[in-house]
């Protein structure tokens, strides 16, 4: 601080010694005035304390006399009525008199005359209570006349007169002392006020001096502040550029991974379709149909498998970005794990020992059952891949409370009650430098070709979209634990699904009943042609519309429509608006939506709106047949 004043104040005028003397004198004045003010403040406080003490002595002395009078009143009432309830004031007095006497003795401990009076008062009080006790005892023994005679003897009155005399003397002495102390307190306050005014004047003079001498320092400080602002702005620009570069790098990694996987899948699809075209073109006209079918089956199956893989990749990307359409229900995770145990053991193989630890009284949760099953399978498959030589995999459930401290530490989870599902392996673990990247899309530690890098990203997206939390704990050489926390369901009116039934995918597709008619609304001509042919092959009568206006006209004109099958995204009016207007015309009309991706037409907070039925694109004829049949059969 001394160096600061030398640089910025005294050095600017060249009269260092003069200003130093003025400053030292001002500081000395303030110090003396402040010290005196503190001393007088203590004197004033002490005087006020003594005044308060005098008031307290008089108050306690008067209180003692009043309590004794209450005791006498109670005794007399009891002697007159023989009613024990009249002794309540007497009993209260006996309880409180010792504390009152002790307080009075403590207040007068430093005053010899008053303390002597209090000491003389104590035996008088004790004697008076003894006399009261004797009369009460005589009356209780049936000697009422003796008790009254004891009162009439005047012994009690004489003692009480002595008590009053001592208390009067105490009050008179305190009254005189109070007058003196009030005078002392007033004088102390006067001195204190004068010293405070003097201190303020000295402080104002010092502040004025410091304000004038600091102007130059402030100007120089402002200049330095402007330089710092420029440096801060430059640093912010640099940090923003770095953040933008990191975002571009992340987007590049994501798009690169998508392009790589989709190009592979497109190569499979396009290559096998090209093989189909060539084989059909090169087939002689007299070729046996069985031989032709055999030649075309393999490339056709490969092309379909590539298309299904592309659809799965799309769903995984939507799960990672928390944009998939969830259909949540009440879930008992214990039942879900139990129902999947056989499937998991077959999937993981014999060299992985699967153990389950299921909590008793596990809280229900509310999530998409199919997505939770997929997440559990993903975690178990990752655990198996981490144990190539075999090992132990433990699936555990538990009730957990995440407190405010945990919420503040991680920031992406609300404090509260959660049902926890964890998967633990005994594999090699994950190095610390890679642990933070485990949820990044297309990041994987597996060898090339053995993992897409979307499994954990999909699990993370699903859990976060469900309002939950996911954490990974790992130690190299000790294994890895992944914990999923899903919020506890407190409502009891949600539909139960634990686990949800899996639709059958084998066997023939369910067909239409007689004369069943479906209104198909799809603006994409290729998709509309496929859906129309698929429904027609199943035996349905199909009415087509490329937009909502045409569809509404058909709803108004046609005599029979058993189901509305519409895309969510349509030109002009959306599929949701179309469904609302169509059901207003036909209240019993079931509606099946389809979409490749929708943000908020039928999905809010990541969940399907209540009562909404959705068939996600892409879909096959079997998926469409099952969903349509399910809705038509459930209509009744």
């Amino acid at each position: 601080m001394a160096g600061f004043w030398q640089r910025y104040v005294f050095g600017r005028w060249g009269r260092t010694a003069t200003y130093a003397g003025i400053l030292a004198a001002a500081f000395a004045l303030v110090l003396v005035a402040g010290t005196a003010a503190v001393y007088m403040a203590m004197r004033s406080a002490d005087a006020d304390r003594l005044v308060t003490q005098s008031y307290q002595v008089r108050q306690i002395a008067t209180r003692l006399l009043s309590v004794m009078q209450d005791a006498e009143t109670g005794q007399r009432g009891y002697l007159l009525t023989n009613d024990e309830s009249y002794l309540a004031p007497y009993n209260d007095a006996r309880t409180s008199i010792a504390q009152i006497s002790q307080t009075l003795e403590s207040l007068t401990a430093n005053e010899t005359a008053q303390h002597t009076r209090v000491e003389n008062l104590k035996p008088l009080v004790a004697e008076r209570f003894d006399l009261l006790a004797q009369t009460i005892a005589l009356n209780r023994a049936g000697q009422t006349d003796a008790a009254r005679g004891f009162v009439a003897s005047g012994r009690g009155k004489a003692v009480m007169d002595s008590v009053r005399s001592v208390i009067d003397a105490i009050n008179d002495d305190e009254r005189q002392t109070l007058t003196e102390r009030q005078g002392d307190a007033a004088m102390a306050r006067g001195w204190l006020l004068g010293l405070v005014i003097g201190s303020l004047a000295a402080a104002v003079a010092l502040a004025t001096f410091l304000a004038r001498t600091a102007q130059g320092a402030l100007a120089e400080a402002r200049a330095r502040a402007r330089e710092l602002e420029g440096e801060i702005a430059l640093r912010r620009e640099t940090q923003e550029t770095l953040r933008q570069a990191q975002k571009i790098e992340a987007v590049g990694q994501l798009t690169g991974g998508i392009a790589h996987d989709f190009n592979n899948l497109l190569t499979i699809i396009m290559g096998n379709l090209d093989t189909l075209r060539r084989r059909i073109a090169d087939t002689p006209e007299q070729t046996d149909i069985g031989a032709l079918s055999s030649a075309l089956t393999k490339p056709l199956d490969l092309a379909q498998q590539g298309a299904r893989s592309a659809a799965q990749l799309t769903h995984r990307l939507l799960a990672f970005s928390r944009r998939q359409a969830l259909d949540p229900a009440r879930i008992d995770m214990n039942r879900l794990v139990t129902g999947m145990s056989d499937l998991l053991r077959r999937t993981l193989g014999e060299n992985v020992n699967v153990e389950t630890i299921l909590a008793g009284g596990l809280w229900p949760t509310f999530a998409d059952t199919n997505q939770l099953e997929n997440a559990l399978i993903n975690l178990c498959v990752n655990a198996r891949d981490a144990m190539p030589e075999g090992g132990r995999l433990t699936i555990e459930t538990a009730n957990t409370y995440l407190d405010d401290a945990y919420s503040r530490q991680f920031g992406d989870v609300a404090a509260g009650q959660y049902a926890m599902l964890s998967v633990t392996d005994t594999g090699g673990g994950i190095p610390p430098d890679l642990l933070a990247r485990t949820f990044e899309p297309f990041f994987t530690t597996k060898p090339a070709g053995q993992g897409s890098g979307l499994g954990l990203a999909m699990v993370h997206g699903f859990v976060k979209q469900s309002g939950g939390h996911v954490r990974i704990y790992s130690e190299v050489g000790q294994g890895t634990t992944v914990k999923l926390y899903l919020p506890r369901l407190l409502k009891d009116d949600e539909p139960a699904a634990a686990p949800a039934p899996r639709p059958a995918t084998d066997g023939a597709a369910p067909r239409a009943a007689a004369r069943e008619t479906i209104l198909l609304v799809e603006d994409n001509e290729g998709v509309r042609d496929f859906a129309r042919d698929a429904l027609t092959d199943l035996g349905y009568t199909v009415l087509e519309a490329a937009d909502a206006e045409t569809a509404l006209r058909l709803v108004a004109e046609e005599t029979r429509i058993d189901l509305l099958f519409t895309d969510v995204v349509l030109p002009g009016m959306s599929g949701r608006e179309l469904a609302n207007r169509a059901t207003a015309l036909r209240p019993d009309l079931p509606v099946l939506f389809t979409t490749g991706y929708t943000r908020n037409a039928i999905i809010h907070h990541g969940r399907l709106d209540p009562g909404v039925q959705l068939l996600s694109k892409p879909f096959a004829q079997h998926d469409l047949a099952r969903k349509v049949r399910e809705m038509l059969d459930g209509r009744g």
Side-chain angles (χ1 to χ4, degrees):
M1 180 63 73
F4 173 83
W5 284 113
Q6 274 189 327
R7 278 196 314 274
Y8 295 104
V9 181
F10 299 133
R12 298 185 62 86
W13 288 275
R15 293 195 296 267
T16 305
T18 302
Y19 283 107
I22 295 174
L23 187 61
F27 270 119
L29 177 60
V30 171
L31 181 62
V32 171
T35 303
V38 169
Y39 171 74
M40 291 309 301
M42 293 174 63
R43 284 281 307 276
S44 176
D46 188 57
D48 289 337
R49 180 185 60 78
L50 292 175
V51 168
T52 302
Q53 179 178 316
S54 293
Y55 279 116
Q56 289 176 336
V57 169
R58 296 179 63 188
Q59 182 182 13
I60 296 300
T62 303
R63 171 64 179 157
L64 187 145
L65 180 60
S66 175
V67 166
M68 293 186 67
Q69 290 172 341
D70 289 343
E72 283 188 333
T73 301
Q75 175 234 25
R76 289 169 183 161
Y78 172 65
L79 294 180
L80 292 174
T81 64
N82 285 328
D83 186 350
E84 290 281 344
S85 64
Y86 278 90
L87 290 177
Y90 166 77
N91 293 328
D92 292 342
R94 286 185 64 88
T95 302
S96 60
I97 196 67
Q99 179 63 39
I100 295 173
S101 299
Q102 183 178 358
T103 303
L104 187 61
E105 185 178 2
S106 175
L107 290 173
T108 59
N110 296 327
E111 301 176 19
T112 303
Q114 291 287 63
H115 188 70
T116 301
R117 294 187 183 100
V118 171
E119 289 297 322
N120 294 335
L121 184 63
K122 289 168 62 177
L124 294 173
V125 171
E127 181 182 358
R128 182 56 184 136
F129 271 96
D130 287 342
L131 294 174
L132 292 175
Q134 291 177 34
T135 59
I136 292 172
L138 289 172
N139 194 67
R140 283 176 176 167
Q143 301 179 28
T144 304
D145 293 338
R148 292 177 179 176
F150 196 85
V151 172
S153 67
R155 291 177 57 191
K157 180 178 182 303
V159 173
M160 278 299 293
D161 288 342
S162 299
V163 170
R164 288 190 183 91
S165 175
V166 173
I167 290 177
D168 288 342
I170 291 174
N171 285 333
D172 290 341
D173 188 282
E174 286 299 330
R175 189 179 298 110
Q176 181 179 355
T177 302
L178 177 62
T179 302
E180 297 173 356
R181 289 175 175 176
Q182 286 175 334
D184 292 342
M187 182 175 64
R189 283 193 292 271
W191 276 102
L192 177 61
L193 179 61
L195 288 171
V196 168
I197 294 175
S199 299
L200 288 175
V204 169
L206 178 59
T208 302
F209 170 75
L210 293 177
R212 291 177 178 176
T213 56
Q215 289 178 354
L218 289 175
E220 188 170 342
R222 290 192 188 100
R224 179 56 183 159
R226 286 192 293 270
E227 293 178 7
L228 291 175
E229 288 174 0
E231 293 177 5
I232 292 172
L234 180 60
R235 180 171 297 180
R236 286 176 179 170
E237 292 176 3
T238 304
Q239 290 175 343
E240 185 62 30
T241 302
L242 177 60
R243 280 196 296 268
Q244 190 66 23
Q246 290 172 339
K247 289 179 183 178
I248 293 174
E249 181 181 357
V251 172
Q253 177 179 333
L254 179 61
T255 54
I258 295 172
H260 175 270
D261 284 6
F262 263 109
N263 282 333
N264 285 339
L265 296 172
L266 289 174
T267 299
I268 295 172
I269 297 169
M270 294 173 63
N272 283 281
L273 290 177
D274 183 64
T275 300
L276 282 173
R277 183 187 59 78
R278 288 187 288 103
R279 289 186 179 179
I280 292 173
D282 295 341
T283 301
E285 294 182 2
Q286 290 76 24
T287 301
D288 178 68
I289 190 66
L292 177 61
S293 176
S294 177
L296 300 181
T297 296
K298 184 175 181 180
L300 180 60
D301 288 344
L302 291 173
Q304 286 183 325
Q305 179 60 40
R308 284 192 292 269
S309 297
Q312 290 175 358
L313 178 59
T314 302
H315 287 309
R316 288 178 178 178
L317 289 171
L318 288 175
F320 158 70
S321 61
R322 310 179 197 176
R323 295 293 184 269
Q324 62 181 337
L326 297 180
D327 189 9
R330 177 190 176 97
I331 296 178
D332 180 348
M333 290 198 297
N334 283 349
R335 292 178 57 195
L336 183 142
V337 172
T338 302
M340 295 182 64
S341 294
D342 291 340
L343 171 64
L344 291 173
R345 287 186 173 91
R346 290 195 302 270
T347 302
L348 301 179
E350 296 181 354
N351 63 339
V352 175
N353 181 24
V354 179
E355 297 180 357
T356 58
I357 303 174
L358 305 180
L362 184 68
W363 295 326
T365 188
F366 191 61
D368 189 306
T369 309
N370 290 328
Q371 294 300 327
L372 182 56
E373 290 174 347
N374 290 337
L376 179 56
I377 292 173
N378 257 310
L379 296 179
C380 291
V381 170
N382 282 348
R384 178 202 63 189
D385 295 342
M387 301 182 292
E389 303 300 325
R392 185 176 67 256
L393 184 145
T394 304
I395 303 173
E396 183 179 0
T397 62
N399 294 328
T400 303
Y401 178 78
L402 302 182
D403 57 19
D404 292 329
Y406 187 95
S407 176
R408 287 192 298 270
Q409 180 181 359
F410 294 102
D412 62 345
V413 57
Q417 295 175 326
Y418 291 83
M420 186 272 292
L421 173 65
S422 71
V423 175
T424 302
D425 64 61
T426 56
I430 304 173
D433 57 325
L434 299 181
L435 191 61
R437 302 185 60 192
T438 50
F439 294 125
E440 292 182 10
F442 297 105
F443 173 80
T444 179
T445 58
K446 298 177 183 178
Q450 294 188 18
S452 66
L454 277 176
L456 283 178
M458 180 183 68
V459 171
H460 182 269
F462 155 67
V463 173
K464 297 308 295 181
Q465 190 176 351
S466 301
H469 178 61
V470 56
R471 290 290 296 167
I472 296 183
Y473 304 87
S474 186
E475 185 175 347
V476 175
Q478 301 299 319
T480 300
T481 297
V482 183
K483 293 186 177 183
L484 309 184
Y485 300 89
L486 293 175
R488 177 186 181 183
L489 176 64
L490 299 177
K491 299 180 181 178
D492 295 327
D493 55 352
E494 301 293 353
R502 297 176 180 273
T505 57
D506 54 353
R511 297 182 60 81
R515 299 179 57 212
E516 285 183 323
T517 302
I518 295 179
L519 174 56
L520 170 63
V521 187
E522 172 62 62
D523 61 318
N524 186 289
E525 185 177 357
V527 176
R528 189 170 68 251
D529 289 344
F530 162 71
R532 179 198 61 218
D533 293 343
L535 291 169
T536 302
D537 291 344
L538 293 169
Y540 294 99
T541 300
V542 180
L543 305 174
E544 296 182 59
D547 54 62
E549 287 75 11
T550 304
L552 283 175
R553 186 168 63 252
L554 291 173
V555 170
E557 295 174 355
E558 293 294 327
T559 57
R560 177 168 182 171
I561 298 177
D562 294 283
L563 181 138
L564 170 61
F565 180 39
T566 178
D567 192 4
V568 175
V569 181
L570 295 172
M573 187 187 308
S574 72
R576 185 59 185 266
E577 294 175 285
L578 165 62
N580 292 338
R581 294 179 62 174
T583 52
L585 296 174
R586 299 188 183 211
D588 296 331
L589 180 65
V591 179
L592 175 60
F593 292 99
T594 185
T595 184
Y597 166 69
T598 180
R599 181 64 179 265
N600 54 15
I602 60 174
I603 298 173
H604 293 86
H605 307 294
R607 299 174 179 176
L608 288 174
D609 292 343
V612 169
Q613 297 291 329
L614 175 67
L615 179 63
S616 297
K617 296 178 182 179
F619 54 83
Q621 184 197 47
H622 198 289
D623 301 321
L624 178 59
R626 178 187 56 80
K627 193 67 178 178
V628 169
R629 191 72 264 155
E630 175 186 308
M631 294 186 64
L632 291 176
D633 291 343
R635 180 173 51 175

